[in-house]
Amino acid sequence: NEFKRNNYKFIFFGENSKEDRKELILRHDVDLSLEAALKMAKLETELNIKSTYFILLGTSFYNPMLAHDKSIIRHISELGHDIGLHFDISNYLNKNDADLVGNIKKELTILSFIIDKEVNVVSFHRPTKELLNKKLSDDIISAYERKYFNEFTYISDSRSTWKNSPYDLIDNSIKRIQCLTHPIWYWETDIDKKTLFKHFMNEQKTKVANALNDNISNLEELIGGPLCNL
């Protein structure tokens, strides 16, 4: 709301930038919870703003190939937001730039298939210094290439802490901003981090329990009672 009140134009990566206006690229790296991302996406749509959600393909916390998770990602896209690839370089042995770009393109193809829409923008999960201000190729947009990481003022809520306050940038009329948040840090009420992660752990346990029940027809017989008793 503060960005809107100060006449910032919300834009996507790859959208034409204009010198005569204030611009904001709002971005969310979905590291842990698609459910949290969807809640944020719905709220943004209610506020008539748009942002980009970066999705991991290789993660222990969700699976974009599953029908449930796929439907959430598509729902976020249908709400008017953009979908990008959150690429974890630790999942690959990238010997050189060609390997890196090739592996990114493979994941972009998979994510494009999942949402039935072309995806050509990538952000890096825990990026190394070598990836900052680096252009990957003419057909891939990196959230960390010079245009978006240097020409735009970059701010992030990494580990739920802002190194630079968005409000300070607004007060100082900084013209171009890339603002990264992680949806897991935000909640309907003010809760401490211990409670937040306790809820997240319970959410993950419920997913595992449902998956076991769906895949093992005689589960209770095997373990001698309801799964919740374990």
Side-chain angles (χ1 to χ4, degrees), residues 34-204:
L34 286 172
E35 288 77 10
L38 180 58
K39 287 181 181 179
M40 183 168 282
K42 288 178 177 178
L43 178 61
E44 289 172 342
T45 298
E46 291 174 6
L47 295 173
N48 196 31
I49 62 176
K50 62 184 185 181
S51 62
T52 303
Y53 286 80
F54 287 92
I55 307 298
L56 282 164
L57 290 189
T59 175
S60 301
F61 301 114
Y62 57 86
N63 184 352
M65 292 299 291
L66 293 177
H68 174 267
D69 291 354
K70 186 188 301 182
S71 68
I72 291 179
I73 299 169
R74 287 184 173 183
H75 192 172
I76 292 173
S77 176
E78 289 163 0
L79 286 169
H81 305 296
D82 204 8
I83 300 295
L85 171 67
H86 199 32
F87 187 81
D88 188 346
I89 59 174
S90 70
N91 286 332
Y92 296 91
L93 181 61
N94 297 302
K95 297 179 180 179
N96 49 48
D97 286 352
D99 280 354
L100 174 65
V101 171
N103 289 324
I104 289 172
K105 286 185 175 181
K106 290 175 185 176
E107 290 206 1
L108 285 169
T109 299
I110 295 170
L111 188 55
S112 297
F113 166 76
I114 288 171
I115 68 168
D116 197 25
K117 185 184 294 185
E118 183 181 4
V119 180
N120 68 347
V121 59
V122 61
S123 72
F124 292 100
H125 187 54
R126 297 191 295 268
T128 61
K129 289 183 179 180
E130 291 75 20
L131 295 171
L132 305 181
N133 293 311
K134 183 182 184 68
K135 184 172 177 62
L136 297 171
S137 71
D138 290 337
D139 53 349
I140 300 175
I141 299 171
S142 169
Y144 291 104
E145 65 186 61
R146 181 173 298 278
K147 178 178 180 179
Y148 300 111
F149 192 69
N150 190 293
E151 296 178 17
F152 279 69
T153 298
Y154 173 83
I155 54 174
S156 170
D157 65 350
S158 181
R159 298 183 182 179
S160 78
T161 301
W162 294 95
K163 292 182 179 179
N164 294 302
S165 167
Y167 300 102
D168 289 343
L169 298 186
I170 292 171
D171 289 342
N172 291 320
S173 296
I174 300 300
K175 205 166 186 182
R176 290 180 177 79
I177 300 170
Q178 179 187 165
C179 179
L180 165 62
T181 82
H182 300 79
I184 194 66
W185 298 130
Y186 303 95
W187 207 250
E188 290 88 347
T189 57
D190 188 17
I191 61 174
D192 58 66
K193 294 300 183 292
K194 183 177 180 180
T195 304
L196 187 153
F197 278 106
K198 184 177 180 180
H199 174 85
F200 175 70
M201 289 292 290
N202 288 334
E203 182 182 87
Q204 294 298 307

Side-chain angles (χ1 to χ4, degrees), residues 209 211-214 216-227 230:
L212 286 170
N213 280 312
D214 288 342
I216 304 175
S217 58
N218 62 335
L219 181 60
E220 291 191 6
E221 178 184 337
L222 289 174
I223 64 176
L227 188 62
L230 288 180

